[in-house]
Amino acid sequence: MTSEITLFVNPTAGRGRGARAAQPAASALRAAGFSVRTVLGRTPQDALARARDAVEAGTGALIAVGGDGMVNLALQAVAGTRTPLGLVPVGTGNDFARALGLPLRDPGRAGRVLADALLGGRVRDVDLGRVGGHWFGTVLASGFDSRVNDRGNRMRWPAGRLRYDLAMLAELAAFRPLPYRITLDDGTVRETEATLVAVGNGPSYGGGMRICPGADLTDGLFDVTVVGDCSRVTLLRLFPSVYRGGHIGHPKITVLRAAQVELVAPDVTGYADGEPLGPLPLTARCIPGALRVVGP
């Protein structure tokens, strides 16, 4: 492995923490003997092009500094290659880093963990989801949760998690369960009224909400959590338990497992790693071993 490492930095992640986090992470990597160069980019498209150039030039690893949005962008550069991805998680959600067991919001420590792992050759393969040509690491969200994302993205105030809490309350007042058609890779078709359907390569989204708590990054399968036609009261009661995965087992919730899932529902945008993919229908495929990651 070459000693040159590329830092892929989102300067706005975590309300400015991305730019501040790059320095201690870079210092930790340099102290371990690595040569570090930084990729910023003027726009997400420009940053991705620069990251892909670094991968093609043979960088030893691409280290994404930011949140889940930055990680998702980095996946588009390294998925399907043998270039390992490391994470310095300093965003709001950090769900992919959480699934990998990396330190959260401590860039110096994360940099040291990554440096030690690179020196020790601790690199492993994990699965990714793919929708069309777009890769994702954690969860494909659709239904109530994606409509909360829609509303939150339109809001200009407040900032951070509170924006999405308020968006959830506003959306809850108007939401009705949707008619879904879910087709699994074995040909099974389920038609049901559902509040949301979450396709999990990893267990959590939204900053630790374990919507698919049994999802495993190395088993070649998605966990698909189907939340049925819940009332508003039931949703409000279930919401706190999602952070520990305690919603599983509720009579309104079904968990399916498949390597490929097609979702069809009216007027729903799919989100993966918190990023909009487009309207349903969408087909997600689990690609085994699509990503090399650096980890503890």
Side-chain angles (χ1 to χ4, degrees), residues 121-266:
R122 293 194 299 277
V123 177
R124 57 194 169 108
D125 294 340
V126 299
D127 307 338
L128 290 178
R130 189 167 187 173
V131 177
H134 191 90
W135 300 93
F136 69 94
T138 56
V139 178
L140 166 59
S142 73
F144 176 73
D145 45 6
S146 62
R147 288 191 174 177
V148 169
N149 260 317
D150 286 339
R151 184 181 289 269
N153 290 342
R154 294 193 300 268
M155 296 167 63
R156 294 294 173 262
W157 180 91
R161 287 276 300 274
L162 182 57
R163 175 189 303 172
Y164 292 94
D165 290 342
L166 293 177
M168 183 187 73
L169 292 173
E171 195 61 42
L172 189 64
F175 189 79
R176 298 291 184 277
L178 298 163
Y180 270 86
R181 187 173 75 245
I182 305 167
T183 305
L184 306 181
D185 49 16
D186 64 358
T188 300
V189 178
R190 292 174 177 254
E191 296 193 1
T192 186
E193 294 283 316
T195 300
L196 66 87
V197 179
V199 180
N201 181 56
S204 72
Y205 63 3
M209 289 189 286
R210 295 176 59 81
I211 189 68
C212 302
D216 183 337
L217 292 174
T218 61
D219 65 357
L221 296 171
F222 294 125
D223 275 30
V224 184
T225 300
V226 182
V227 180
D229 55 344
C230 291
S231 68
R232 295 184 185 91
V233 171
T234 299
L235 276 180
L236 285 171
R237 286 175 176 168
L238 278 174
F239 178 71
S241 69
V242 175
Y243 283 94
R244 64 178 187 277
H247 58 296
I248 301 300
H250 189 279
K252 289 290 186 180
I253 293 176
T254 303
V255 178
L256 312 171
R257 306 192 78 221
Q260 178 173 303
V261 184
E262 181 191 48
L263 302 178
V264 180

Side-chain angles (χ1 to χ4, degrees), residues 8 10 66-76 91 93-94 272-275:
F8 189 39
N10 179 0
D68 284 329
M70 194 63 178
V71 173
N72 186 265
L73 195 62
L75 293 181
Q76 314 315 311
N94 303 316
D273 296 341
E275 301 298 308

Side-chain angles (χ1 to χ4, degrees), residues 3-43:
S3 64
E4 182 184 276
I5 301 300
T6 302
L7 281 186
F8 189 39
V9 181
N10 179 0
T12 64
R15 286 174 281 182
R17 284 195 298 269
R20 295 191 297 272
Q23 186 173 354
S27 296
L29 288 161
R30 290 190 178 107
F34 293 99
S35 171
V36 179
R37 63 184 293 264
T38 300
V39 167
L40 284 169
R42 296 179 298 274
T43 65

